[in-house]
Amino acid sequence: MAQPRILHVITGTAIGGAEIMLLRYLRALGPARDRHSVVSMMPCGPVAAMIRDGGVEVGDLGAASARQIPAAIRRLQTVIRQRDPQVIHGWMYHGSLVATLALRLGRRPDIGLIWAIHHSLADPAREKMTTRAVLRGLRFMAERADTITYCAQQSAQQHAAFGLPPARAQFVPNAIDTQEFRPDPTARARLAAATGIPEGRRVIGSFARAHPMKDHPAFVQALAQLVDQGLDVQGLLIGNGQPGGPAEAEAARLGISDRLTTLPARDDIAALVPGLDAYLLSSAWGEALPLAVAEAMAAGVPAVVTDVGDCRWLVGDCGAAVPPRRPDLMARALSDLLALPADRRAALSAACRARIIQQLSLPDYITRHDALYRQAWSARASNIPAEAA
């Protein structure tokens, strides 16, 4: 059976976990990517250019605000007629909703539909009002989706509790290119050159945009406790909004501005992350299965994470998971990691990489999506509702 034509409909193409996962997936497809195209609901961001560089067509629906979503749906209907996909893959809440509405309003039951959820939902009340409205829309229209994939097992359970049908759920974890993210003894010198961090200082990093859910003030509070203990450490935050953001303000309040380095988002993370001594994910909510943590582990860097989404499952025995909003416990776990003797540190580094290779295989990710697309296409072509495996 030939591969179907796939149209990916994603909320946006700014730098983010789901967006990077789509980019990574399309790059790994090789010549098969010719059957794929991408539409962003929001105006195109930097990931769109990266996808285009890989030879995949990318357009956008121009929805910069909620008021523009109805017009975006009409534009997507036009795109569907032009590109004639056999399966639509909706990415994230808004992308999945817009894709579903376009199919329903366009009366296209012949086209398969996959939803991809990349967010955990411990408490819907924490989400923005517009996000809660989108979630209600998804709950109402969930039967149109042939399969709903979740990159975290906790996320699947949380969304089932919210009302999305568990019978259509599949756990498909994010995947890492372990040839791109790998240990590199020369990375420390590059990291020092890029950041100006003094030689010999232990570096604790986190790579994410500045957003309340990431709780970067807690990152800084944990860093301050390590400094108070007399450890020679430096915090490093890289991502959109980090320079001049809340983490810098918290560092100034605590008097450790010289111990925090912030940089805007950059495209050479794979060359820098192996130079870290530890990775700290301080998120208070919303994480499902964070790519940045998995990338660090693939590079041999042990991680301390908050117990949000599948973060505890991700690190397994190769790091530590602590409750959110507990910088004291973050600092304690980091102190334990930094105190490991060289032989135990080397063994832990190897275990981190082995876990990612075993659990987050990029070839397996491709194979599983191929099967999902074929299943949805075949069922729709036969006018038989697809069954979730």
Side-chain angles (χ1 to χ4, degrees), residues 52-213:
R52 288 192 191 105
D53 288 344
V56 176
E57 182 180 359
V58 183
D60 74 73
L61 305 176
S65 69
R67 294 191 306 274
Q68 296 171 311
I69 289 179
I73 294 168
R74 292 192 295 273
R75 293 189 191 102
L76 180 56
Q77 289 177 293
T78 300
V79 172
I80 291 170
R81 288 193 295 271
Q82 292 171 342
R83 300 190 188 177
D84 192 26
Q86 288 144 331
V87 178
I88 292 183
H89 188 162
W91 290 71
M92 303 188 288
Y93 294 150
H94 293 72
S96 296
L97 180 68
V98 167
T100 307
L101 286 169
L103 289 176
R104 286 181 65 128
L105 294 173
R107 303 190 182 201
R108 295 299 306 267
D110 56 311
I111 298 177
L113 178 64
I114 309 294
W115 289 356
I117 305 297
H118 286 261
H119 190 70
S120 65
L121 195 64
D123 182 2
R126 287 180 175 171
E127 306 298 333
K128 295 187 295 186
M129 186 184 307
T130 52
T131 302
R132 295 199 299 271
V134 169
L135 278 164
R136 290 192 294 271
L138 291 175
R139 183 169 58 190
F140 178 73
M141 292 184 291
E143 295 304 317
R144 177 59 179 88
D146 295 294
T147 302
I148 305 173
T149 67
Y150 297 91
C151 68
Q153 299 166 89
Q154 284 286 328
S155 177
Q157 296 168 14
Q158 292 163 353
H159 285 83
F162 178 76
L164 297 191
R168 296 179 184 270
Q170 282 206 21
F171 170 50
V172 182
N174 287 329
I176 302 298
D177 183 345
T178 54
Q179 293 305 305
E180 179 182 12
F181 290 90
R182 59 189 307 154
D184 181 356
T186 67
R188 189 53 176 263
R190 282 194 299 275
L191 187 67
T195 63
I197 294 174
E199 184 177 352
R201 186 167 289 179
R202 313 296 291 278
V203 183
I204 300 163
S206 193
F207 303 153
R209 72 193 190 281
H211 187 282
M213 96 174 190

Side-chain angles (χ1 to χ4, degrees), residues 16 26 36 137 152 156 160 191 196 200 207 212 218-219 239 243 251 274 283 313 320 364 366 373:
L26 293 171
H36 294 250
L191 187 67
F207 303 153
F219 177 101
S283 296
W313 173 84
D364 183 56
I366 293 170
Y373 296 149

Side-chain angles (χ1 to χ4, degrees), residues 112 160 222 303 333 361 367:
S361 160
T367 299

Side-chain angles (χ1 to χ4, degrees), residues 140-389:
F140 178 73
M141 292 184 291
E143 295 304 317
R144 177 59 179 88
D146 295 294
T147 302
I148 305 173
T149 67
Y150 297 91
C151 68
Q153 299 166 89
Q154 284 286 328
S155 177
Q157 296 168 14
Q158 292 163 353
H159 285 83
F162 178 76
L164 297 191
R168 296 179 184 270
Q170 282 206 21
F171 170 50
V172 182
N174 287 329
I176 302 298
D177 183 345
T178 54
Q179 293 305 305
E180 179 182 12
F181 290 90
R182 59 189 307 154
D184 181 356
T186 67
R188 189 53 176 263
R190 282 194 299 275
L191 187 67
T195 63
I197 294 174
E199 184 177 352
R201 186 167 289 179
R202 313 296 291 278
V203 183
I204 300 163
S206 193
F207 303 153
R209 72 193 190 281
H211 187 282
M213 96 174 190
K214 303 294 184 180
D215 199 9
H216 289 128
F219 177 101
V220 176
Q221 291 158 20
L223 179 68
Q225 293 188 35
L226 295 175
V227 172
D228 288 344
Q229 295 170 21
L231 297 180
D232 187 17
V233 294
Q234 187 82 15
L236 173 63
L237 293 173
I238 300 178
N240 288 329
Q242 291 298 353
E248 283 192 357
E250 184 68 4
R253 185 183 74 82
L254 296 173
I256 61 162
S257 292
D258 61 327
R259 294 295 180 138
L260 178 68
T261 300
T262 61
L263 298 174
R266 47 195 297 155
D267 59 8
D268 59 348
I269 295 300
L272 300 180
V273 68
L276 298 177
D277 292 286
Y279 193 95
L280 173 59
L281 180 114
S282 56
S283 296
W285 79 88
E287 298 288 359
L289 192 126
L291 279 176
V293 175
E295 291 165 353
M297 292 175 64
V301 179
V304 173
V305 299
T306 49
D307 192 5
V308 178
D310 271 14
C311 292
R312 179 181 291 276
W313 173 84
L314 176 59
V315 298
D317 296 329
C318 303
V322 303
R325 303 189 191 278
R326 288 296 304 272
D328 56 327
L329 298 182
M330 297 176 200
R332 185 184 305 172
L334 287 167
S335 180
D336 290 343
L337 282 179
L338 296 175
L340 290 174
D343 58 339
R344 289 186 59 192
R345 167 69 191 219
L348 180 61
S349 176
C352 286
R353 179 166 173 79
R355 180 166 179 79
I356 298 305
I357 291 172
Q358 181 181 27
Q359 299 290 349
L360 274 67
S361 160
L362 190 53
D364 183 56
Y365 189 89
I366 293 170
T367 299
R368 294 186 69 176
H369 279 88
D370 283 349
L372 290 174
Y373 296 149
R374 290 172 185 266
Q375 176 187 353
W377 179 29
S378 175
R380 291 288 164 180
S382 304
N383 199 28
I384 301 172
E387 295 179 359

